[in-house]
Every structure is written in C-alpha cells, then in structure tokens.
Amino acid sequence: MKQIQYQQEAVDELVNKTIGLLGLKGNRHTLVFKSPTGSGKTVMASEMLMRLSQELAERPDAPFTEVAYIWIAPNKLHEQSYFKMKNYFTETCALRPVIYDELDYSADGYIRPGEILFVNWESINKDKNIMVRDTENSASLYDITRRTQEDNGIPIVLVIDEEHMFGGRNAKKSEKVLATIQPKVEIRVSATPQSMGEQQVNVPREKVIEEEMIKENIVLNPALEFKDPQGSLNQHLIWLAMQKREELAKAYKDLGVDINPLLLIQLPNDTSDNLTADESRIKDEIIMTLDAYGITTENGKLAIWLSGEKTDNLDVIDRPNDPTEVLLFKQAIALGWDCPRAAVLLIFRKIESFQFSAQTVGRILRMPEQKYYTDQRLNQGYVYTNLSKDIIEVVKDDMDYLSTNVVAIRRENIVNVSLDSEYCERKSGDRNRLGSDFKRILRETFVVEWSLKNEQISLFSEEMLFGDGEMGDDADDLSSVAAQNRERAIKDRGLNFNVKNVSTDIVKDLDMTGEVGIRIVESKASYVNNMEDLNAMFLAFCKRLLGNEYEQRSVKTLAGALKEVMEDLFEVFEYDAMKIMLSNDNVHHNRIKFERLIDKAIKNYTEILRLRQAAAKRRAYKHYNWEVPAQRAYLVDQYDELPEVLDHALVPFMQSKKASSPEVKFTQYLEENSDAIQWWYKNGDQGKAHYAIGYTKSSGEKGLFYVDFIIRMRSGDVFLFDTKKGVIDPDVVEKHNALIAYINLPENKAKNLHGGIIVEDKFGNWVYSPFPIENETELNDTKNWNEFIPQKYV
C-alpha cells in the first residue's frame, strides 16, 4: 500500500471501529465505508483486513483474537476483488482469499480464521441457488457460516462491496441473506452508500483529489454548440467526443507521456442484457459513424463489450498505450471496471437512475499515473450526453462536481507567454513513523548518555558456525563488554538488573461509606504481572513516550528497538529487558532515567526525519514551461461569471467568490486600461497546471508562490504581480524577494519581465517595488516604489 495519507487514516479508523463493534453484544453491527470511485477502496479494504487480523491477535483490549471473513460483491466484481487480494496477500500470507470451491464444505467444514470467502451476490440471492439451498451433507453457505460462528466460536466480519447495489428492489433479498448469515459485523463499502450504519468512515473526495488519484472534476458537454452539426444529434455527439479524445491524445504526446486516452460510449442502459430494436439501431449508427473516422474492430481501434458480443482486445484494453481508442458497452462495464486511461464518456438516451450513471461516470475519474499533469485538460474528465438538463439529478456529496462548472476557453490569437514554473511531484503528507534506522539512533543515545562501550562483536565465531561447534573467543569478548556496561549502569545510574518480577499494587480492604470525601488507602495487594500483562504494560509505556506525534505502528518499532538495544549492550533479553525498564523497585533510579534517555533518542530521530522529509520535498520539485492554458474549469459554487470583463486571457472571466478587495479593484484597473494591455490572466493558487515560483519559506522549507496576475502589455512586456491581502502573509517578504530574483535571472532577460508585490497607495495609484525588501515594515512605506502605468507600455 502506498503511503497516501487519506488511505492510512481511513485504514486506522476502519480497524479501530471494527474492533469496537466486535466488542458489542449481539450480531449484525454495521460500519459504512464511503469512499469515492478511484480512491483505492479495494486496497484500503485489503490493508484493513490484514491490520485487523494482526491487531486482534496482539491487542490486549481486543474482544476476539481471530475472525473469519466473507466478501460479497455484485456481478463478477467478487472475482476482480478475489484476484486483486490474492495478489496483494501473496507476499505477506497474512490472509487467505478463497472461493466457495476452495472451502472445506464437508459436514464439518467451516471458514477458517484469516480466510476471506469471496461470494458473488447473484449466486446466493435466490433460495434455489446451489450455494444456499439445503443439501444432504449440509454444505450450503448458511450451514458453513453457522458452523463457523456457533460450532467453532469464530465471529464473521462480512464485507458488502458496492453496497448501493443491494438496496432498492434487492433490499428484501439482501436482508434475508444477511439475516440468515448473522455476521458479527457488516462493513458496507460504496462511493454512494444507501445506509447510515452504527459507525461511519468517510474519505472526502477533496482528499482523493489532493493526492491526485482522481480527476479534479468532470465537464458535462464541453463547448457544446450546433452551428455546424455533423449529421444527426447522435453523430454530432460522437464527433464532439472523438474531437476531445484526439485533443487529449495530442496533449499527452506534447508532454512526452505514452498514454492513449480511451473514449467510452454507453448504449441506453436498462435491466435487460439484450438490445432492444432502438438500441440496435443506435449501435449500428455508432459503428457506422466510427467507421467513417477509421475506428473499427478490424483495425483494433474499436472494442465492444455487450452481452453475447465481446471483442478480443478487451483483455489488454486497460494498458496505458493500448491502440484501442473507443469502447462500446451497455451496462455490464459500469461497475468495478478499472481502466485509468479512460478519459471521455459518451452516454446515449435518458438514464433511468442517475445514481447508476454516477458509477458509470466513475470509470473516467481515475488518473492514469495517479498524478496531475501541467496541462490542466488532462486533469479533467469529459462527458457528452443527449440528456436534457432539466432531468439531470445531481447526487449530493458524490456527483456535485458534475455539471456544476463553467469551462473558460483561451481567447483566439493571443500571443502567449512561456515562463519557467515549478510544481511538487510529491503530494502525500509527511509520514511520522519510526523507521528501521531508529535502533541505531537509540543505541548511540544509550552509549553517549550513559558512557557505555559500543563494540559490536559477533556472538558466534566462524569456528562455531562452520567448525567443530566450539564457542569462539568473541563470545567472551562480547560478554565482557556487556558485563562492563552493566557495571557502569549499576554504578553511575543505580540500575537494578536483577528484577524478578513487575507487580501492580491494587487497593485492598478499603471501607467505602458512600459519603463524599477522601479515603486514605492503608492496604494494597500486589499482583505479579504475567508475560501477557507485562507486554501490554510495555507497549503502553512505549506509546506514552511517543505521544501523538508518531503513528500508531511506531509503538511496536520502539518496543522492538528497546529490546534489541538492551540485548546488544547489556546481554539482557526480551522478558528481562521489559521487567528492568518497567521495574517498580527502581522507579526513581531506573524508569525515569530510561524515559529521559528514550525521549532524547526520539527527539534526535525527529530532527533527522524532519531533515530527510525536507530533502525529499526539495527533490520532488520539478520545472516546466508554463503557458496560459487552453481551457480551465471553474466550479460555479466557488466562482462568479463576469461577462463584462473582456481582456482576461480566458473567456468568460470567472472571479472567485472569496476574491480579496485588492484583487477585485486591481481587476477593474486592468480592464480600464485595455488600450495598453493585450491580455491579463488571474492565476490559480494551487496545482500543477497553475504558474508558480519556488521560494524558501521563513521556516527554511521550500514552498511554491502562485503569483496572482500575469499581464502581457501591447509592447510585449510581461508583468507578474501579487496583490497584498488584508492579512499579511508571514512569508510575504520571502515571496516578493523570490519573485524579484526570478525576474532578474539571466535566462529571463529577453522576456522583459517586471513585477513584485503590488499595492494601492493612499492616492489611488498602484505601486510595486522592483527591488528586494528586508522586512514587512517596508510594505507600508511605498514612497520609493514604482507606479504601474500601463500607458507606458503601448
């Protein structure tokens, strides 16, 4: 599993909430997992099941030590998940994915702990189906699940994949199946779940977009007009979709990316697999139209996925550079199909259930390389349809990015610019996790702080390993070093290495009257902790020392490193090492000393980790030549369309609803001077497609400065301005100076660049500093700044 922050957070939450539900009385406790298409639901679910098995076996607070799993999915999606997970668990062997035929379904058969039984919904939703009907040897799924839970005491965690498909007309059948199986916990997974559940885990679409896993948004019927229709309405829509596919193919090629974008064409969908007469007519019209563009099954550019008609090129169609350009399908492909190069979708006829169409649209949401490109057109999906706008129903929180944007197009014949821009290739948040190298830092901290010997000698000599079996002299040397270290720790630190046990004192014989007040404890009983208790105490000890700064899984890393260092330096082994560090006898001389030392090691490692992360960030910054984009999509709930603005490089001009007062006033000033300005562009404030300059923050880390305005004068001069906001940016000085340094680079001399931070002075003039500034106070003293007078650059 990649280190993607939202995935790790979701897995942690899923594991903890599932363990919580397993601890409740009764069965059929529900956890709803909502995550957008393309976010990696199967990957997260696989990791979650593996982590759940591990933590149940290790956590002292877990209600069970082991569970069995069932994974139910509609259509053939269970096979896809089965093979994905079989591949996922090949190396770890943590869990064993199985299908019904691989189970022991004899009279005594049951689902073993750690087994995941993958089941197709259609094979169990009717009483007459083989898997669920009564047999002489009690081999039905219901018999197997009963024996698993009742006879063998193994609770079942049941995962319902694409949960929304089990509602509606399937609701009664679903309820009957689940009521018969009676799983301990049901985990319902979907991008558009139908139920609420006792617990919920939600992955926001924004988080998935931030990690560049799915496209920023989807544009519905972009640039749709009928001035010069290419034949019938259907033929014209095919032509528009083909034009868009060709446009995207060229954009990939211009970036040097070997991806062939795929156009999906969906026939009218209903419950029947067979085509109606109308659907057959539309299909023939589509194939005839595509043939005119040189797209046929014979040359491999057309693939067909219909009931009873499937072309041979479907098996490799998901390859990034596969030559297939168009896929014609009906309903079967809409669910669970994964082809990240799919970029354009053409949907014919009224769709009865828009929620189903939301799943269909999800096929073009994935980013083919799980990263955004500098050409924003490649970061969007495109849908063409003959739907009337008044029948489109937008599903809340799932498809609100569809049909809620305006696409602005670059004005024709503008003289573009080419500016060096930067972006960060590494989007996932920094992970704070103790690595395998933490042991070295911990050991060095022990040695330095306690003045120990640090010789690392092999315990076994070559003679012992390959000779006559005698211990080598090195063993004596190592024992001697360890003995000296123990003597030093005893003498200088007062440590007791002869700890027989660790006990917990529990209040004993205390009379309680029920009255409010203090009761003095006079008697306690001492409980000697066993190995299991001691291990739990030690993990709690490590967790407290780590605090909340490091991830949960670092607790075990710290625990393991402490045991290994105690072994290396003192020849004290696992059980004894824990007793010494948790000893009650020497709490002042021993445990506090350990805590101080461990805390110092963690802080040393934190600094190393911070420098390592900063270096990784610096390596992640890439350069490319930025131009005013050919088009840009704006969400209408975040931007207002201003048709009266005429000189913006993209039309229509979309102004942010959160635009600051200086931005609004400066926009008006630019429009008032159109006689001197060829065009101007309001830049975005994040993302690879927008213009950015790298700079060093006041904290010492590298960041990106998205300059507000790019302005091309009629003289050819280019101004780069950033308006000063009401609340001063803490890095405003660093950003301004980085911009001035950028403008003065030798490679930029011929581009006639000017600019800096621009403000409106008390006389109403727009002024900027062409020189670096030393501190924020200089921003308030603008008497020596240059005035931006557009008429000078006609």
Side-chain angles (χ1 to χ4, degrees):
M1 183 161 139
K2 294 183 178 180
Q3 292 190 4
I4 297 174
Q5 190 165 353
Y6 75 80
Q7 290 186 346
Q8 298 286 354
E9 291 172 353
V11 169
D12 289 343
E13 193 176 355
L14 284 166
V15 170
N16 289 327
K17 289 186 174 179
T18 301
I19 291 176
L21 292 175
L22 283 168
L24 299 179
K25 294 180 180 179
N27 293 332
R28 297 201 60 193
H29 299 292
T30 54
L31 168 59
V32 172
F33 179 31
K34 179 182 178 182
S35 193
T37 299
S39 59
K41 289 193 292 293
T42 303
V43 171
M44 287 185 277
S46 302
E47 179 81 3
M48 175 263 174
L49 297 183
M50 182 175 70
R51 284 266 310 279
L52 178 61
S53 287
Q54 290 173 343
E55 297 207 14
L56 286 176
E58 297 171 358
R59 279 172 57 163
D61 63 328
F64 298 95
T65 57
E66 53 190 14
V67 296
Y69 304 94
I70 298 177
W71 184 292
I72 300 179
N75 300 336
K76 298 281 187 174
L77 192 57
H78 76 296
E79 291 182 0
Q80 180 178 307
S81 300
Y82 167 73
F83 287 116
K84 276 186 178 181
M85 288 206 190
K86 206 168 183 64
N87 181 60
Y88 187 83
F89 293 123
T90 296
E91 293 184 7
T92 65
C93 298
L95 298 174
R96 180 173 173 252
V98 295
I99 54 177
Y100 180 72
D101 291 342
E102 296 173 326
L103 273 182
D104 173 10
Y105 47 86
S106 66
D108 299 320
Y110 63 98
I111 308 172
R112 297 317 197 255
E115 284 186 334
I116 312 173
L117 172 61
F118 285 85
V119 178
N120 170 234
W121 164 242
E122 285 73 18
S123 67
I124 62 172
N125 65 359
K126 296 181 182 67
D127 293 338
K128 63 181 181 181
N129 289 357
I130 295 175
M131 280 184 64
V132 293
R133 71 188 181 195
D134 292 334
T135 61
E136 291 183 5
N137 62 349
S138 299
S140 77
L141 175 66
Y142 298 149
D143 291 319
I144 291 171
T145 56
R146 178 188 54 77
R147 288 194 293 267
T148 302
Q149 298 190 104
E150 295 179 12
D151 298 350
N152 292 279
I154 303 168
I156 290 176
V157 173
L158 186 144
V159 179
I160 306 174
D161 197 10
E162 303 294 353
E163 180 259 6
H164 61 278
M165 298 291 287
F166 293 78
R169 62 183 178 176
N170 287 321
K172 287 185 178 180
K173 294 178 182 178
S174 305
E175 178 58 28
K176 181 180 178 182
V177 170
L178 295 171
T180 307
I181 294 175
Q182 283 289 310
K184 182 69 177 176
V185 175
E186 298 171 13
I187 301 176
R188 298 165 174 255
V189 182
S190 177
T192 55
Q194 296 295 296
S195 55
M196 288 295 294
E198 294 169 69
Q199 295 283 354
Q200 300 87 32
V201 175
N202 179 31
V203 174
R205 183 175 301 280
E206 293 75 14
K207 295 288 186 183
V208 187
I209 291 173
E210 282 176 15
E211 296 290 353
E212 303 181 0
M213 295 283 285
I214 61 175
K215 295 183 172 70
E216 288 179 323
N217 61 321
I218 286 178
V219 185
L220 182 63
N221 287 338
L224 184 65
E225 51 89 11
F226 300 104
K227 292 179 182 177
D228 185 19
Q230 304 293 311
S232 67
L233 173 60
N234 289 350
Q235 291 170 346
H236 185 69
L237 288 170
I238 295 170
W239 178 77
L240 287 172
M242 286 292 300
Q243 292 287 106
K244 179 59 68 174
R245 199 212 72 84
E246 294 295 330
E247 177 189 344
L248 299 179
K250 183 178 183 303
Y252 277 121
K253 187 175 181 180
D254 290 345
L255 290 178
V257 178
D258 189 18
I259 290 176
N260 185 31
L262 181 68
L263 163 63
L264 308 180
I265 301 181
Q266 183 187 17
L267 289 173
N269 61 342
D270 52 31
T271 57
S272 171
D273 288 335
N274 299 319
L275 299 184
T276 65
D278 285 341
E279 290 167 349
S280 296
R281 179 184 54 78
I282 294 173
K283 173 198 166 187
D284 293 341
E285 184 179 16
I286 291 170
I287 291 176
M288 179 190 70
T289 305
L290 291 173
D291 183 68
Y293 295 118
I295 309 294
T296 66
T297 54
E298 287 77 14
N299 62 19
K301 291 186 177 183
L302 173 63
I304 297 177
W305 187 333
L306 299 172
S307 178
E309 184 180 3
K310 292 182 174 65
T311 51
D312 295 335
N313 50 350
L314 289 172
D315 290 340
V316 294
I317 197 170
D318 57 344
R319 294 178 182 174
N321 57 359
D322 183 76
T324 307
E325 296 180 2
V326 180
L327 170 63
L328 176 62
F329 72 102
K330 192 183 175 185
Q331 183 174 354
I333 197 176
L335 189 66
W337 185 68
D338 188 2
C339 182
R341 72 182 181 99
V344 186
L345 173 64
L346 171 55
I347 307 174
F348 281 110
R349 209 193 65 177
K350 184 172 86 170
I351 297 176
E352 284 75 10
S353 168
F354 191 78
Q355 193 151 5
F356 175 78
S357 76
Q359 298 293 326
T360 306
V361 171
R363 300 308 113 209
I364 62 168
L365 272 178
R366 291 175 171 84
M367 290 301 296
E369 296 182 291
Q370 295 185 349
K371 68 174 185 179
Y372 284 171
Y373 302 98
T374 53
D375 190 328
Q376 193 187 29
R377 291 175 294 179
L378 301 177
N379 303 332
Q380 300 174 149
Y382 303 89
V383 175
Y384 293 87
T385 180
N386 57 355
L387 284 170
S388 302
K389 190 171 182 181
D390 59 359
I391 65 168
I392 292 178
E393 178 188 357
V394 177
V395 178
K396 179 80 173 162
D397 295 330
D398 181 63
M399 294 301 294
D400 52 359
Y401 56 89
L402 179 62
S403 76
T404 57
N405 51 61
V406 172
V407 178
I409 307 298
R410 188 171 61 205
R411 287 163 46 197
E412 293 183 5
N413 303 321
I414 70 167
V415 180
N416 215 323
V417 293
S418 179
L419 301 173
D420 180 64
S421 179
E422 288 189 69
Y423 65 89
C424 184
E425 191 67 70
R426 188 170 170 266
K427 288 297 292 180
S428 190
D430 294 326
R431 313 277 329 270
N432 279 345
R433 178 191 295 175
L434 295 182
S436 57
D437 57 338
F438 172 71
K439 178 192 167 184
R440 176 180 58 81
I441 304 299
L442 181 65
R443 181 187 177 114
E444 289 173 357
T445 307
F446 263 86
V447 169
V448 172
E449 291 294 306
W450 286 4
S451 303
L452 304 175
K453 290 183 176 293
N454 193 27
E455 287 87 345
Q456 298 192 43
I457 304 168
S458 174
L459 183 61
F460 302 106
S461 66
E462 289 190 14
E463 283 295 320
M464 182 188 176
L465 293 173
F466 308 110
D468 59 9
E470 294 292 327
M471 276 279 194
D473 293 336
D474 286 350
D476 293 333
D477 292 339
L478 179 58
S479 295
S480 174
V481 170
Q484 292 177 52
N485 283 339
R486 287 197 298 271
E487 288 176 10
R488 176 64 62 91
I490 293 168
K491 180 181 178 182
D492 294 351
R493 304 290 163 183
L495 299 187
N496 178 13
F497 285 90
N498 188 28
V499 179
K500 293 182 179 179
N501 56 61
V502 175
S503 60
T504 302
D505 291 335
I506 301 172
V507 175
K508 174 185 176 184
D509 296 334
L510 180 64
D511 292 329
M512 301 294 289
T513 63
E515 296 178 5
V516 176
I518 297 172
R519 298 289 179 272
I520 298 174
V521 176
E522 296 179 352
S523 180
K524 291 184 179 181
S526 185
Y527 168 74
V528 176
N529 294 286
N530 60 26
M531 185 62 178
E532 186 178 344
D533 297 326
L534 191 68
N535 190 59
M537 287 177 65
F538 189 61
L539 290 175
F541 170 73
C542 294
K543 184 175 182 178
R544 178 168 57 81
L545 288 173
L546 278 174
N548 297 322
E549 187 175 351
Y550 280 86
E551 295 178 13
Q552 175 71 27
R553 62 187 63 191
S554 295
V555 172
K556 290 183 180 178
T557 305
L558 174 59
L562 281 168
K563 293 173 189 175
E564 290 177 24
V565 168
M566 290 292 286
E567 179 182 334
D568 291 348
L569 295 177
F570 303 113
E571 276 191 3
V572 174
F573 299 96
E574 183 163 332
Y575 190 43
D576 290 329
M578 290 192 293
K579 287 193 295 184
I580 291 167
M581 284 185 275
L582 296 174
S583 169
N584 291 331
D585 299 334
N586 300 316
V587 64
H588 294 296
H589 298 291
N590 181 5
R591 200 156 136 202
I592 290 177
K593 294 291 185 183
F594 273 109
E595 291 184 14
R596 178 184 173 280
L597 186 145
I598 296 166
D599 182 64
K600 188 161 189 174
I602 292 171
K603 286 178 178 175
N604 290 341
Y605 189 80
T606 300
E607 180 60 20
I608 292 171
L609 189 62
R610 189 187 67 81
L611 294 173
R612 188 181 297 161
Q613 290 170 344
K617 281 184 179 179
R618 286 193 293 272
R619 291 193 298 271
Y621 284 91
K622 310 291 183 183
H623 289 258
Y624 75 101
N625 288 325
W626 179 87
E627 296 182 342
V628 174
Q631 64 183 47
R632 179 176 164 188
Y634 297 86
L635 293 172
V636 296
D637 60 343
Q638 297 179 20
Y639 288 85
D640 292 319
E641 183 175 340
L642 301 183
E644 66 273 15
V645 173
L646 302 177
D647 294 317
H648 190 254
L650 302 184
V651 291
F653 172 62
M654 304 295 292
Q655 187 170 76
S656 172
K657 295 180 184 293
K658 296 181 180 179
S660 66
S661 176
E663 285 181 5
V664 174
K665 293 181 74 173
F666 189 61
T667 295
Q668 294 170 349
Y669 180 72
L670 294 176
E671 284 295 293
E672 291 168 0
N673 289 276
S674 59
D675 56 332
I677 296 174
Q678 187 181 84
W679 56 260
W680 60 273
Y681 178 68
K682 177 62 181 70
N683 194 28
D685 56 10
Q686 64 177 4
K688 295 180 183 179
H690 301 302
Y691 173 59
I693 294 170
Y695 77 102
T696 302
K697 299 180 180 181
S698 54
S699 63
E701 297 180 359
K702 182 161 183 175
L704 292 175
F705 174 26
Y706 291 86
V707 181
D708 282 336
F709 292 90
I710 298 96
I711 306 163
R712 184 177 180 89
M713 314 304 294
R714 296 196 181 277
S715 63
D717 292 70
V718 175
F719 282 84
L720 308 174
F721 284 137
D722 200 75
T723 53
K724 177 186 162 188
K725 312 295 189 296
V727 178
I728 294 180
D729 184 337
D731 290 324
V732 65
V733 173
E734 288 75 15
K735 288 180 178 179
H736 172 81
N737 292 343
L739 178 54
I740 298 303
Y742 174 90
I743 288 170
N744 292 322
L745 288 173
E747 56 266 35
N748 286 333
K749 262 188 179 176
K751 297 179 181 178
N752 297 320
L753 301 182
H754 317 269
I757 300 294
I758 191 166
V759 299
E760 187 180 24
D761 67 14
K762 61 183 179 181
F763 305 108
N765 303 311
W766 287 95
V767 295
Y768 66 98
S769 172
F771 305 107
I773 57 179
E774 293 185 6
N775 51 59
E776 291 181 18
T777 57
E778 292 188 36
L779 292 171
N780 300 316
D781 182 12
T782 62
K783 61 179 179 292
N784 295 320
W785 287 19
N786 288 359
E787 184 180 351
F788 174 51
I789 304 175
Q791 280 70 28
K792 287 184 178 180
Y793 301 95
V794 176

